[in-house]
Amino acid sequence: MGKKEGLHGSRSKLFFDLLRVLKVFKPKWFLVENVASMSWVDREEITRHLKVAPMELDSQEITASKRRRLYWTNIPHPPRLPRLRDHPSTSLQSCLEGALALEQKCGVILCSNLYKGSTARLELVLDNKTNKLRYIKQTEVEVLMGYPKDYTNVVAHETKGRTEQAEKVLKTPVRAKSVEPKPSSVTPPSSRQLRKNRKSQTFFVPQVWETKPTRQDSLKDIDRWFLLGNTFSVQVIAYLTSPLLRAEVRSHGKRVNIVGSVKEEELSAMEPGDVWALFNEYGRPNWYAVIESRTGDRFSAFPDATGKRNVTKLPLKIEMKYLEMTPAYLKEEVDEWNPQRGSGLLKLRNVMDIQDNWQAFSHRVTSYVKLEDSYFVYPGNDEVWAVYNGETLSRYFVYVSESTISSDRLRRGKPGQEGFHARCLLLQKTAEHEIFLKTSTMVEFTDLQPFCFRVPFYIKHEANLLKVEVSGVKSRQSMRADKDSTAGYERRGKKDLGGPDDDEDGDLIGGDLDFPEDNDADRIGAATGTPGSIEMMSG
């Protein structure tokens, strides 16, 4: 849906106005929403500017409508999502007036739902009086999204009259007169009296009209649908802001501090001087490069000779210099060009390299120490990293809760003497694809070698559920390469198994879901000192 021009398109620049508002007013709390189908580059840019990871939430979990969105907020995430998806109060049937729902949930409410022939048409319902199928009403959609019935049934001509009156006043010439202020005998009301006389009004209750608006006075159906398509689900916002009901949460609120420019033309997901992670030949995102310049942009359209809108994009050109792992940290690596480890001391190469697309990049590196001509990359706070166990040839994920490193020891360039210490929570794979649960099992690390690569993630529904993005061909290639790049590992062939090679048909990596065998999980747990069920990814 939409023009799909991205964050820098003509219809999405409102986000940069939001940054300007945050910079000027410095509020304690903010909440930003966008579609979940946005590109990972746009999502990375919003995360970069707001400095918080997004949460993905589908409103059908707590409402009668499907609406998958991403939310960025500095409000603490709710610890647990109410289990209301299959409750009768969150079904489409509970919102209908004299009709029977043919499906449990309603589709996504959009401005284009009323267009005939649109691909966003909603499901039909069966009218009880006529016993015929009909389209869902605006009043039913209002209830569905958490608003009172007839909330959008407002008078349209009142705004027009006020506008004409304002224009008439502006056109009337006004002569300046010097009038001396007269002493007033009336005492102005105190602030206490003003607060006492103030009328409380519920935000979500519409104004009560003396006479019910007629069909000619009220908004048209299409206009009312536009209002509903551009709004939000009240239940979702109530859920996301529910932690603010606690006084201890409100007391820890800090003013938002936006540093630097907030102009749209000066902002991007990638800036010169950034350190970015790229996928190596085996699909592990532990190649690193320093961005020198970025010209061209996928958001910028070529000017058309006729002046009409053109969807052709300028070619992307990224100039960068790779970071090369120092020999001391490559000592035990089988393939020095594709190292197993993703942290350590890296030197800047003087050779300029050029990339012309985003597919080679994984994420922006934020946890590193810059030395003179080198960079030290390490696992930072609130990051998800893949940890590799060479003995069991398996990989699992951890959430870094706290990590420290000694900047004075980094210049020595000696592995194991960096003063590194990290406290991590083990992640447990759930039944859903790529969804991991933060367990209460804490593991401490004093060695950087097991950390293979950092994995991009975002919050899923509640605070302890993470969407870890490790799927796809590159991830499966990476898991095959884990065995090949382990010292002492011998590839088992047809003679050993009496069949085709294991690595080629994917038997050793558990297919697409990458589940280990039970005996492998027990060995993983024994090696790490944790239950085998926690280690979910096998090499």
Side-chain angles (χ1 to χ4, degrees), residues 308-338:
K308 297 182 179 180
R309 176 177 174 270
N310 197 330
V311 296
T312 307
K313 305 297 179 182
L314 290 171
L316 183 68
K317 181 180 178 182
I318 301 173
E319 294 182 341
M320 63 185 191
K321 292 183 179 180
Y322 275 105
L323 293 172
E324 194 174 43
M325 194 78 73
T326 55
Y329 286 87
L330 288 174
K331 187 176 181 180
E332 299 181 0
E333 294 289 345
V334 175
D335 187 353
E336 296 183 355
W337 182 244
N338 298 284

Side-chain angles (χ1 to χ4, degrees), residues 11 41 72 74-75 77-78 89 119-120 129 138 151 192 225 242 249 264 270 283 317 330 399 415 420 424 501 512:
R11 300 177 60 185
V41 181
W72 287 262
N74 61 345
I75 303 173
H77 296 111
S89 62
T119 56
K129 292 183 178 180
Q138 284 85 346
Y151 184 74
R192 183 177 181 180
W225 207 283
S242 60
V249 173
E264 184 267 337
M270 178 180 291
K317 181 180 178 182
L330 288 174
Y399 179 86
F420 172 74
C424 307
D501 185 64
D512 292 339

Side-chain angles (χ1 to χ4, degrees), residues 20-268:
R20 179 177 57 83
V21 171
L22 293 178
K23 185 174 183 178
V24 172
F25 293 97
K26 295 181 172 59
K28 286 186 177 181
W29 313 104
F30 65 83
L31 177 60
V32 180
E33 175 264 354
N34 213 319
V35 294
S37 59
M38 66 191 311
S39 68
W40 71 268
V41 181
D42 292 339
R43 189 182 67 206
E44 177 75 19
E45 181 171 359
I46 296 178
T47 303
R48 172 180 188 145
H49 300 322
L50 296 179
K51 298 179 176 60
V52 291
M55 170 189 277
E56 181 189 288
L57 179 61
D58 194 337
S59 62
Q60 68 173 326
E61 297 291 334
I62 52 179
T63 71
S65 173
K66 303 174 184 178
R67 196 181 185 91
R68 195 167 65 95
R69 293 291 186 267
L70 291 175
Y71 299 90
W72 287 262
T73 179
N74 61 345
I75 303 173
H77 296 111
R80 184 173 175 82
L81 179 72
R83 302 303 186 255
L84 299 174
R85 181 167 184 170
D86 298 326
H87 195 270
S89 62
T90 63
S91 64
L92 176 59
Q93 183 63 51
S94 63
C95 307
L96 298 181
E97 304 170 1
L100 177 66
L102 303 181
E103 295 192 23
Q104 184 181 12
K105 300 290 183 179
C106 179
V108 183
I109 305 300
L110 301 171
C111 297
S112 56
N113 289 143
L114 282 186
Y115 293 152
K116 293 184 179 180
S118 171
T119 56
R121 296 281 288 181
L122 297 177
E123 298 80 1
L124 299 177
V125 297
L126 183 65
D127 193 285
N128 293 336
K129 292 183 178 180
T130 62
N131 202 26
K132 294 182 179 180
L133 294 177
R134 66 167 175 82
Y135 206 63
I136 189 172
K137 302 176 183 178
Q138 284 85 346
T139 53
E140 296 170 337
V141 174
E142 291 169 342
V143 176
L144 183 146
M145 301 193 70
Y147 296 95
K149 182 181 176 181
D150 285 327
Y151 184 74
T152 59
N153 191 17
V154 296
V155 176
H157 69 80
E158 186 173 346
T159 304
K160 181 179 179 181
R162 290 182 179 179
T163 305
E164 294 176 352
Q165 183 179 2
E167 292 178 352
K168 184 178 180 180
V169 172
L170 290 175
K171 293 179 181 179
T172 304
V174 179
R175 296 181 180 180
K177 297 182 180 180
S178 58
V179 180
E180 296 182 0
K182 298 181 180 180
S184 177
S185 59
V186 181
T187 306
S190 63
S191 58
R192 183 177 181 180
Q193 290 176 336
L194 291 176
R195 288 194 302 269
K196 185 177 180 180
N197 298 332
R198 183 177 55 186
K199 295 181 179 180
S200 60
Q201 183 177 359
T202 307
F203 178 76
F204 291 113
V205 176
Q207 297 183 13
V208 180
W209 304 98
E210 296 181 358
T211 58
K212 189 175 181 180
T214 61
R215 184 70 179 176
Q216 292 76 16
D217 295 335
S218 61
L219 290 179
K220 297 180 180 178
D221 291 345
I222 188 67
D223 296 328
R224 295 179 63 180
W225 207 283
F226 274 9
L227 293 176
L228 295 169
N230 283 312
T231 187
F232 50 80
S233 297
V234 176
Q235 301 94 322
V236 172
I237 303 302
Y239 167 70
L240 294 174
T241 58
S242 60
L244 294 178
L245 296 175
R246 298 160 53 192
E248 58 270 21
V249 173
R250 298 195 301 270
S251 62
H252 286 82
K254 297 181 180 180
R255 296 287 181 181
V256 178
N257 185 22
I258 303 294
V259 181
S261 175
V262 293
K263 297 180 179 180
E264 184 267 337
E265 60 273 12
E266 299 178 2
L267 299 178
S268 175

